[in-house]
Amino acid sequence: MMWGNWTIVSEFVLVSFSTLSSEVQALLFLLFLTVYLVTLMGNILIILVTTADSALQNPMYFFLRNLSFLEIGFNLVIVPKMLGTLIIQDTTISFLGCASQMYFFFFFGAAECCLLATMAYDRYVAICDPLRYPIIMSRKACAQLAAASWFSGFPVATVQTTWIFSFPFCGPNRVNHFFCDSPPVIALVCADTSLFELEALTATVLFILFPFLLILGSYVRILSTIFRMPSAEGKRKAFSTCSSHLLVVSLFYSTAILTYFRPRSSTSPESKKLLSLSYTVVTPLLNPIIYSLRNSEVKSALRRVILRTLGPQKL
């Protein structure tokens, strides 16, 4: 079908991991399926435990529940289609399906960047201004901060996705990735995309680099406050409340910054796929593990929930 000089593209082909042998793809399918199921169960468990246990009804765990919801959404957008490309070689994705996947990828990604910054602010207030913490981080303030984090995903997702899919695609439809990310899709456009790329860089700075700098600034103040504490026990407790979040932030942002801020010429498609796996598959898996294994309050709450559910005589 032709419109003027352009071929109307009705579907795309995800290259995914098709260059690998069928045996390796089968192994990857089993690995990613296991990771996917563990990720879903782990994040659902975090949501249930922090909701059911009265001891975890504070801002830190309220934001943790929101993070788990975001990670579940992130996984649902990316992983099922990737599993389909590996096991049944279902590599095609419709034009609308590709646009929808990209939209929700941008939405959940931007929302998570802002939510991680909000969680850093929560820890900053708790450690640097503990006397005013209940007032500053009131229930209303927490709800507003969480809503602002979620809402931040809408403008970037709407502008980026609408702009990309308003460009003409003149025939080549092989997306060299395992999902519809912006760079491999924009590479198929038959038009000048320089203005879009400038806007995309601006959006990346605003929604990845700026929240990261806010987190960095918060932790500089947090660490400065911790080091001034007179008691070693106080330092240990203060640092333990931040260590899980700091580890999650390090995992998420290190791979995201390497993916979107490296020069295009220095990044091969295969290395970008590996980096993308880190923040789309690995980080959502590690979040509930980090917050449950490194957090004594979550582990104690989980034991209490199990005791209430099963009864002590059944354990």
Side-chain angles (χ1 to χ4, degrees):
M1 295 177 62
M2 298 293 293
W3 182 267
N5 293 325
W6 309 115
T7 301
I8 297 178
V9 173
S10 60
E11 65 179 19
F12 294 95
V13 176
L14 295 172
V15 174
S16 191
F17 303 99
S18 59
T19 56
L20 302 176
S21 67
S22 56
E23 292 81 5
V24 173
Q25 290 189 59
L27 289 174
L28 286 177
F29 170 80
L30 292 175
L31 174 62
F32 292 149
L33 178 62
T34 303
V35 169
Y36 177 61
L37 295 176
V38 172
T39 299
L40 290 182
M41 290 187 292
N43 282 289
I44 289 171
L45 188 62
I46 289 287
I47 293 169
L48 293 177
V49 170
T50 57
T51 302
D53 194 88
S54 58
L56 302 184
Q57 303 308 306
N58 59 52
M60 183 171 76
Y61 295 107
F62 169 74
F63 292 127
L64 179 57
R65 281 195 295 275
N66 278 268
L67 180 63
S68 290
F69 275 116
L70 280 173
E71 297 292 24
I72 290 171
F74 212 74
N75 253 231
L76 290 174
V77 169
I78 303 296
V79 180
K81 182 60 183 177
M82 181 177 67
L83 293 175
T85 63
L86 287 169
I87 194 63
I88 59 175
Q89 302 299 307
D90 181 20
T91 58
T92 60
I93 183 169
S94 68
F95 192 89
L96 180 60
C98 187
S100 299
Q101 188 182 55
M102 184 182 295
Y103 181 91
F104 286 107
F105 168 73
F106 283 140
F107 169 75
F108 287 118
E112 182 163 346
C113 288
C114 293
L115 185 63
L116 288 173
T118 299
M119 294 172 76
Y121 175 70
D122 171 66
R123 293 299 82 206
Y124 162 76
V125 178
I127 292 172
C128 300
D129 199 358
L131 296 179
R132 295 202 303 150
Y133 180 73
I135 300 172
I136 297 174
M137 300 304 293
S138 65
R139 181 170 294 186
K140 180 180 178 181
C142 290
Q144 290 173 338
L145 286 169
S149 298
W150 281 88
F151 179 78
S152 67
F154 283 108
V156 64
T158 302
V159 172
Q160 295 275 89
T161 307
T162 303
W163 198 341
I164 287 175
F165 286 91
S166 67
F167 282 120
F169 293 88
C170 60
N173 65 344
R174 292 174 61 83
V175 179
N176 196 4
H177 213 323
F178 57 84
F179 71 99
C180 286
D181 196 5
S182 171
V185 173
I186 206 70
L188 305 177
V189 168
C190 297
D192 181 13
T193 60
S194 56
L195 185 60
F196 168 80
E197 290 175 13
L198 178 61
E199 183 276 334
L201 179 61
T202 304
T204 302
V205 169
L206 285 176
F207 289 95
I208 294 182
L209 194 57
F210 184 64
F212 175 73
L213 292 176
L214 290 177
I215 294 169
L216 191 62
S218 296
Y219 273 104
V220 168
R221 293 291 303 275
I222 288 169
L223 292 175
S224 175
T225 301
I226 290 175
F227 290 142
R228 290 199 305 268
M229 290 179 177
S231 119
E233 180 64 16
K235 291 179 180 179
R236 187 193 65 80
K237 287 183 177 179
F239 189 73
S240 68
T241 65
C242 302
S243 57
S244 297
H245 177 256
L246 191 56
L247 186 54
V248 168
V249 166
S250 300
L251 290 169
F252 180 82
Y253 273 101
S254 60
T255 53
I257 289 174
L258 281 173
T259 301
Y260 292 102
F261 284 95
R262 288 176 67 184
R264 190 176 300 179
S265 59
S266 67
T267 308
S268 69
E270 299 308 316
S271 66
K272 186 165 184 179
K273 289 177 191 177
L274 290 176
L275 287 170
S276 298
L277 281 173
S278 299
Y279 62 82
T280 58
V281 178
V282 178
T283 302
L285 167 70
L286 293 178
N287 282 356
I289 294 174
I290 290 169
Y291 276 105
S292 58
L293 294 182
R294 295 179 58 87
N295 192 308
S296 58
E297 289 183 331
V298 172
K299 289 188 285 188
S300 299
L302 180 57
R303 283 194 292 269
R304 289 193 293 269
V305 170
I306 294 174
L307 281 170
R308 287 200 301 268
T309 304
L310 301 178
Q313 72 280 2
K314 295 182 181 180
L315 293 179

